[in-house]
Amino acid sequence: MFQLGLASLLEDGYDATGWLLVGLLQMLVIVAVIGPLERWRPVEAVTDRKGIRTDIIYTLIQRLGVFRLALFFTLAPLFDGLFGMLRVEGLRTFNIDAIWPGITDVPWVSFLIYLAVFDLLDYLIHRGQHRFEWWWSLHSLHHSQRQMTKWSDSRNHLLDDVLRDVIIVVVAQLIGVAPGQFVAIVAIAQLSENLHHANARIWFGRIGERLWISPRFHRRHHAISLVEARQGDPHLPAKELPRSIELARGCNFGVLFPVWDMLFQTANFELRFDPTGVEDQIKPGPDGRVRNYGRGFWSQQWLGILRLFGRG
């Protein structure tokens, strides 16, 4: 960075290097740990190699810093200016770990508190991605993978990722999570999500399923059969159809802990491993055609934009 004349950004360079190292460690765990689990007990035979290669591209972009680098040069200066202005006006960070001195500020206790807070936030964001049609038009790309694997977690529209990251960063600034803890929380959540999406017939037992989200639990969230069952309900009034679609796409939203799904009554603990995808990939629309979500990275991003504006 000195050679490039970027010495003023040296602190940010250290942060970026930290994220890169975390990403490399994550890639190692994905390949060396989750990969063998998929080969041990696969849910289905892998046939869509091209789709999986596209998912790997998404993972490399997300985990090795390309996406974060883009955010650094675009949104980071805006947020720095915004929060600087707010602090000048008297806004102070509400440090959750300072609520009970001697207890909540113990490092491992504060880490668990922040882990739970961000997991609840992720649950609520995920509910929004399914509840609002404009947001679903972007998030549906994530559900379009008909053969989920350990790489499928990162298949997201870039605008969807930006919106989620903006919410996460704002909350992180407001509640005062330490940078080191924030990196650890993100890394744990991402690796857990890689496991959730794995093509592995794995569940954690009656008790374990209620403590930590398993591949079985999350696969139920991606199941096509839930949507078909709701849309075919003859007892459901027509005016309730948009809400029914949200409910059908709407179980098992959690990222780490099933407790939020249990509290908000969106948990589904059926021991099933259904086919995954989006209903309109197999069910023709009014025009008689099924929806195309694209095969490659750029086509998927472009079609997401078209869906957002009601043209896809």
Side-chain angles (χ1 to χ4, degrees), residues 65-233:
V66 177
F67 182 70
R68 294 188 181 280
L69 188 64
L71 292 182
F72 171 76
F73 284 109
T74 55
L75 296 181
L78 296 177
F79 278 109
D80 289 342
L82 173 63
F83 283 107
M85 180 182 66
L86 291 175
R87 288 191 170 90
V88 169
E89 295 298 323
L91 178 68
R92 294 291 179 263
T93 299
F94 176 71
N95 293 85
I96 292 181
D97 55 359
I99 293 176
W100 189 355
I103 302 295
T104 56
D105 54 1
V106 175
W108 68 268
V109 174
S110 64
F111 176 77
L112 292 178
I113 292 173
Y114 285 120
L115 188 68
V117 168
F118 280 104
D119 195 51
L120 173 58
L121 179 61
D122 260 327
Y123 172 87
L124 296 175
I125 291 173
H126 203 174
R127 289 293 299 269
Q129 289 170 322
H130 285 249
R131 180 66 182 90
F132 302 109
E133 285 301 318
W134 65 268
W135 207 346
W136 170 251
S137 67
L138 297 174
H139 184 63
S140 57
L141 171 61
H142 176 69
H143 284 256
S144 67
Q145 175 57 285
R146 299 298 307 279
Q147 288 200 316
M148 288 205 312
T149 69
K150 57 186 177 294
W151 306 108
S152 299
D153 169 55
S154 295
R155 178 191 281 216
N156 297 301
H157 199 280
L158 294 180
L159 288 179
D160 192 12
D161 276 337
V162 168
L163 182 56
R164 177 187 174 276
D165 280 6
V166 165
I167 297 172
I168 295 291
V169 168
V170 169
V171 173
Q173 289 279 352
L174 292 177
I175 65 176
V177 59
Q181 288 189 331
F182 183 69
V183 172
I185 289 168
V186 171
I188 290 172
Q190 287 178 334
L191 276 178
S192 187
E193 288 179 289
N194 286 119
L195 176 61
H196 300 165
H197 291 83
N199 177 29
R201 193 177 295 273
I202 294 174
W203 71 303
F204 298 155
R206 184 174 180 82
I207 296 177
E209 288 281 292
R210 287 157 176 79
L211 299 177
W212 199 271
I213 290 173
S214 70
R216 193 282 322 159
F217 187 89
H218 192 68
R219 188 179 182 90
R220 196 79 182 110
H221 173 71
H222 281 258
I224 295 179
S225 59
L226 293 178
V227 173
E228 293 178 327
R230 278 284 178 175
Q231 287 186 327
D233 187 349

Side-chain angles (χ1 to χ4, degrees), residues 2 20 31 73 106 149 270 272 311:
F2 276 112
L20 174 62
V31 173
F73 284 109
V106 175
T149 69
E270 291 181 74
R272 296 172 54 172
R311 300 180 60 186

